[in-house]
Amino acid sequence: MELAIVVLLVVFFGLLLLNVPISFCIGLATLATILLSVDFMPAVTTMAQRMAGGINSFALLAIPFFILSGLIMGRGGIAKRLIECAMALIGMLPGGLALVNVVSCMFFGAISGSAVAATSAIGSFMLPEMKKQGYDVNYSAAVTAAAATTGMLIPPSNILIVYAIASGGVSIAALFIAGYLPGILLGVALMIVCAGYAKIKGYPVGARLPLKLVVQKVAAALPSLFMIFLVIGGIISGIFTATEAGAIAVVYSLILAVGFYREVKTTELPGVLMKAAETTAIVMALIATSSAMSWILSYEQIPQAISAAMLTISENPLLILLMINLILLLVGAFMDMTPAVLIFTPIFLPVAVELGMSPLHFGIMMVLNLSIGLVSPPVGSVLFVSCAIAKTRIEAIIKPLMPLYLAMFVVLMLVTYIPAISEWLPAQFGF
């Protein structure tokens, strides 16, 4: 087992340092580890079988549907209307534009299920506007990146679907409902930081709009926001599954973007479909190779060894959970969320269950934790997108990110040690 761990880690991190794509790092490290036990052809065959088995799941069909609906929404003028709605509701508060940025990312993340999509769509509108109003460009980029992570918790979220598969039976519907309170709590914490920062820096306060105009802006955004109720309401009521909800989201987003708002032309749809196919292929490659790695970890009984080792260090649940969080924060800084969830769920979930933590609660904690990795160098994908839009450097936005990191960490600790934040809402719906 010791040799398997060494080979797995050396090959994985060696390839990662050479800038090899993460799915190839995972796949080749797994294959090298399998080769320790069997010959080349059986190893390759086993690897192929495990990869195919990893993506042979009806629940995973929801991911390409939600990716496609998110892309259509992103091009369909949805972001602009959500921003105008948020501006009308809270733009007059201290640090109004920063607060609007956070709320808009929460809205759009809840619709698209993608932090990168939220960063791109909202950032493209908000960053130039914040710069025009005198906000520091690095601070604006930091706010956009941090706020976009709320979409990982507020459903529909693709990563929650991945966790449901990795955990071996947690209800996707229960995870979707469980994500609401932590996601909103995260957004509120970021807004508190933004309001305080605006007071210190003396950023301008937006004008209060007439009630009639506020109603108009909210009404214009309601068709977009209705998608949240359509998808989640249908899943909770049992009318359709999460996968069927994804298909319905695609149909609804098409009706909205092509027919109602008329922001997307039918001639643009092939390009959107191609982009959705590319994104889906990347995600599925990650899931396939990560599933193979999870299998070899289980075969070598590595999760059991890690669990036993952690429980021998201490039997204090508070300390063990803190250790798990710190490890996941480090992992999130170097690895994409999808493989991290698939690889580390089988390792840490048994430990958490042993400590009395429910798989539902652990899943929300894990996703929130790894969401921080999306805005953490050196690999944070959301960080790169936000910097590219703002035309700034990653090192320049780390300082303004610090208070936002602190807010996210405080929320992570609250979610970790107060199970009711994750479990209360699902319990009200009978999960």
Side-chain angles (χ1 to χ4, degrees):
M1 183 181 69
E2 292 81 3
L3 180 60
I5 295 174
V6 171
V7 170
L8 191 71
L9 293 178
V10 169
V11 175
F12 175 77
F13 284 107
L15 293 172
L16 199 62
L17 290 171
L18 292 173
N19 250 354
V20 176
I22 187 72
S23 59
F24 287 92
C25 295
I26 295 169
L28 291 172
T30 303
L31 182 59
T33 308
I34 297 174
L35 284 169
L36 293 174
S37 305
V38 297
D39 293 332
F40 180 77
M41 283 309 297
V44 172
T45 303
T46 301
M47 181 77 182
Q49 288 174 338
R50 295 299 167 182
M51 288 178 64
I55 57 176
N56 184 23
S57 169
F58 179 74
L60 287 178
L61 279 174
I63 292 178
F65 285 132
F66 283 125
I67 288 173
L68 178 56
S69 67
L71 287 172
I72 295 170
M73 286 282 192
R75 296 196 184 189
I78 310 302
K80 179 183 176 183
R81 289 168 176 84
L82 293 176
I83 290 170
E84 289 177 348
C85 173
M87 188 81 75
L89 293 173
I90 60 170
M92 75 296 298
L93 299 176
L97 280 183
L99 302 186
V100 168
N101 197 334
V102 175
V103 173
S104 300
C105 283
M106 290 172 70
F107 282 158
F108 194 84
I111 290 171
S112 68
S114 168
V116 172
T119 306
S120 178
I122 302 300
S124 299
F125 284 98
M126 288 303 304
L127 292 179
E129 186 63 29
M130 292 177 76
K131 184 178 180 181
K132 191 189 303 180
Q133 294 294 325
Y135 285 75
D136 176 68
V137 66
N138 295 320
Y139 167 70
S140 303
V143 171
T144 304
T149 61
T150 58
M152 297 293 93
L153 290 164
I154 302 175
S157 168
N158 290 335
I159 199 64
L160 290 177
I161 297 172
V162 173
Y163 173 77
I165 302 299
S167 64
V170 179
S171 164
I172 295 175
L175 284 166
F176 277 7
I177 300 168
Y180 271 112
L181 287 182
I184 293 170
L185 182 61
L186 178 59
V188 170
L190 294 175
M191 290 171 71
I192 291 171
V193 172
C194 290
Y197 197 89
K199 281 282 189 180
I200 295 170
K201 295 292 184 178
Y203 287 140
V205 177
R208 188 180 297 274
L209 298 179
L211 181 60
K212 182 178 179 181
L213 190 56
V214 171
V215 172
Q216 287 177 354
K217 297 296 184 184
V218 173
L222 281 179
S224 303
L225 294 173
F226 178 71
M227 180 174 165
I228 302 171
F229 298 99
L230 176 66
V231 171
I232 304 304
I235 294 173
I236 293 172
S237 62
I239 297 174
F240 40 74
T241 65
T243 303
E244 292 163 346
I248 289 169
V250 171
V251 174
Y252 183 75
S253 60
L254 277 172
I255 293 171
L256 209 58
V258 178
F260 189 75
Y261 290 144
R262 297 186 179 179
E263 297 271 355
V264 176
K265 299 177 182 177
T266 52
T267 53
E268 297 178 67
L269 292 179
V272 175
L273 290 168
M274 183 62 71
K275 180 63 178 176
E278 291 174 3
T279 306
T280 300
I282 293 169
V283 172
M284 291 301 173
L286 284 169
I287 292 174
T289 53
S290 299
S291 298
M293 181 177 276
S294 296
W295 173 80
I296 194 63
L297 289 172
S298 178
Y299 179 80
E300 296 289 346
Q301 296 187 330
I302 294 172
Q304 293 88 329
I306 293 174
S307 299
M310 293 187 75
L311 292 172
T312 56
I313 294 172
S314 172
E315 293 184 359
N316 186 333
L318 301 182
L319 181 59
I320 296 294
L321 289 176
L322 181 61
M323 287 172 55
I324 291 174
N325 271 311
L326 292 176
I327 293 170
L328 288 176
L329 284 170
L330 183 63
V331 167
F334 290 93
M335 187 181 289
D336 188 74
M337 287 186 77
T338 299
V341 167
L342 287 164
I343 292 167
F344 288 94
T345 296
I347 293 175
F348 290 132
L349 181 56
V351 180
V353 171
E354 182 78 17
L355 297 172
M357 195 179 209
S358 73
L360 180 69
H361 180 197
F362 177 78
I364 297 300
M365 182 199 82
M366 186 180 204
V367 169
L368 173 54
N369 188 307
L370 294 173
S371 294
I372 300 175
L374 294 175
V375 288
S376 301
V379 181
S381 55
V382 169
L383 206 58
F384 281 102
V385 174
S386 186
C387 287
I389 296 171
K391 295 182 174 63
T392 187
R393 295 169 290 109
I394 287 180
E395 55 266 30
I397 74 169
I398 296 301
K399 185 177 178 180
L401 259 173
M402 286 302 174
L404 300 170
Y405 279 140
L406 179 60
M408 297 173 84
F409 185 76
V410 169
V411 173
L412 174 61
M413 292 297 99
L414 291 173
V415 169
T416 298
Y417 295 118
I418 306 176
I421 296 175
S422 303
E423 297 177 343
W424 179 79
L425 202 55
Q428 306 310 304
F429 290 93
F431 290 103

